[in-house]
Amino acid sequence: MIRAALLAAPLALSACAGVQDQLARDAAKRSVNPVLAERFPGVPLEPASDCVIDNASAGEITRLALAAAQPTVSPETSALVVEIATRPETIRCLATDGLAPFLM
């Protein structure tokens, strides 16, 4: 019985980590979307924010998620979003996943 509980514990913890990651990513999007709308007007927000979040580090996602609790977007948050959005990997994502469906 104890062995089964010990074997199940890592699975339960990994499920919690997955939920926590998704919650942080969702909160981070609330910081990313206003910046994208202001700095890159006309860009489809959902795919573009996915590209930004997918190319952010865990620390950056945490910073963006914490910033979502603020009533306005700070200059630091805006700069972080622009920094992530202009990375080569993010630009590739935007070209293939973010904008391509809308250009066809």
Side-chain angles (χ1 to χ4, degrees), residues 17-37:
V19 170
Q20 289 175 336
D21 180 60
Q22 190 57 49
L23 289 172
R25 293 169 72 85
D26 290 344
K29 279 186 183 184
R30 290 194 298 275
S31 293
V32 170
N33 285 342
V35 176
L36 292 178

Side-chain angles (χ1 to χ4, degrees), residues 92-104:
R92 275 193 288 280
C93 177
L94 288 167
T96 57
D97 299 334
L99 297 176
F102 297 96
L103 298 175
M104 295 183 164

Side-chain angles (χ1 to χ4, degrees), residues 4-92:
L6 289 175
L7 292 174
L11 293 174
L13 289 175
S14 68
C16 286
V19 170
Q20 289 175 336
D21 180 60
Q22 190 57 49
L23 289 172
R25 293 169 72 85
D26 290 344
K29 279 186 183 184
R30 290 194 298 275
S31 293
V32 170
N33 285 342
V35 176
L36 292 178
E38 179 185 326
R39 296 289 184 103
F40 306 99
V43 170
L45 288 180
E46 189 65 30
S49 64
D50 287 341
C51 287
V52 170
I53 298 299
D54 289 347
N55 287 287
S57 69
E60 290 167 335
I61 290 173
T62 299
R63 287 171 50 198
L64 292 168
L66 292 171
Q70 301 303 314
T72 60
V73 177
S74 72
E76 294 81 12
T77 299
S78 184
L80 178 58
V81 171
V82 171
E83 176 190 332
I84 298 166
T86 56
R87 290 178 183 160
E89 301 85 17
T90 309
I91 293 170
R92 275 193 288 280

